[in-house]
């Protein structure tokens, strides 16, 4: 989930996402969520996450976060993984291993960003998951971050 103005999402029923739109078709499925209720950020006017799964070729998943704020705030989106990962180019990550991996292409619309990895400490057996943060380097009033996730052949 995103981090807005330094805050991660809240928990509980009051923080549940609202479904704005669904579309199921042969070529692609789309789900659009309103995530504002998960954040106690008074300047947050819009936070939409769109999942779009395209079936063409090997398939791909697009995850698009759109944020709008009343004043400039910090914004970061993230991926969470139990797998190994590495940054392979300025705007690309590879997550997985020889048994299977995905390439993640990051599009911030030209905004400079930094990758920040942190282990998520939880009460569970096994290795902890890693939160791979994609943090815009400058505060924003509006931003769109698109992650395109494709299987590596």
């Amino acid at each position: 989930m995103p981090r807005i103005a330094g805050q991660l999402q809240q928990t509980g029923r009051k923080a549940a996402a609202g479904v704005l739109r669904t579309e199921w078709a042969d070529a692609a499925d789309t789900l659009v969520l309103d995530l504002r209720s998960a954040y106690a950020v008074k300047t947050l006017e819009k936070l939409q996450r769109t999942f779009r799964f395209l079936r063409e070729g090997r398939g791909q998943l697009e995850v698009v976060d759109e944020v709008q704020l009343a004043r400039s705030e910090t914004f970061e989106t993230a991926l969470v993984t139990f797998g190994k990962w590495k940054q392979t180019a300025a705007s690309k990550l590879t997550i997985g291993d020889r048994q299977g991996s995905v390439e993640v292409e990051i599009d911030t619309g030209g905004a400079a960003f930094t990758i920040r990895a942190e282990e998520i400490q939880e009460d569970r057996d096994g290795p902890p998951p890693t939160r791979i943060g994609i943090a815009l380097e400058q505060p924003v009033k509006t931003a769109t971050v698109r992650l395109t996730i494709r299987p590596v052949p």
Side-chain angles (χ1 to χ4, degrees):
M1 291 298 288
R3 180 177 285 160
I4 304 168
Q7 295 185 34
L8 290 171
Q9 72 185 45
Q10 301 176 92
T11 60
R13 287 192 184 266
K14 67 179 181 179
V19 176
L20 297 176
R21 183 169 61 92
T22 60
E23 185 177 318
W24 316 115
D26 291 339
D29 295 333
T30 303
L31 170 66
V32 182
L33 302 174
D34 179 350
L35 303 179
R36 287 176 297 165
S37 63
Y39 294 87
V41 176
K42 292 182 182 190
T43 58
L44 182 59
E45 295 175 343
K46 174 184 177 181
L47 180 59
Q48 272 185 206
R49 174 166 282 177
T50 300
F51 294 95
R52 188 163 183 245
F53 178 71
L54 299 130
R55 291 184 183 80
E56 186 176 318
R58 295 179 60 87
Q60 70 180 33
L61 175 65
E62 295 176 350
V63 181
V64 181
D65 285 338
E66 299 172 79
V67 66
Q68 183 176 331
L69 299 137
R71 69 169 187 257
S72 294
E73 303 277 7
T74 59
F75 181 74
E76 171 180 329
T77 193
L79 294 166
V80 176
T81 182
F82 285 97
K84 296 178 182 178
W85 72 277
K86 64 181 175 178
Q87 188 170 0
T88 56
S91 62
K92 288 189 180 175
L93 307 172
T94 299
I95 301 173
D97 55 28
R98 290 183 180 176
Q99 284 78 34
S101 60
V102 295
E103 176 184 79
V104 180
E105 185 176 337
I106 303 163
D107 178 2
T108 61
F113 65 92
T114 302
I115 303 293
R116 300 181 192 165
E118 58 188 295
E119 285 188 355
I120 299 173
Q121 299 304 315
E122 23 181 64
D123 187 19
R124 61 177 299 282
D125 292 334
T130 300
R131 180 182 188 276
I132 305 169
I134 300 152
L136 300 183
E137 292 182 2
Q138 299 297 319
V140 295
K141 286 181 84 172
T142 62
T144 300
V145 178
R146 177 184 309 273
L147 307 177
T148 303
I149 305 164
R150 298 178 186 95
V152 173

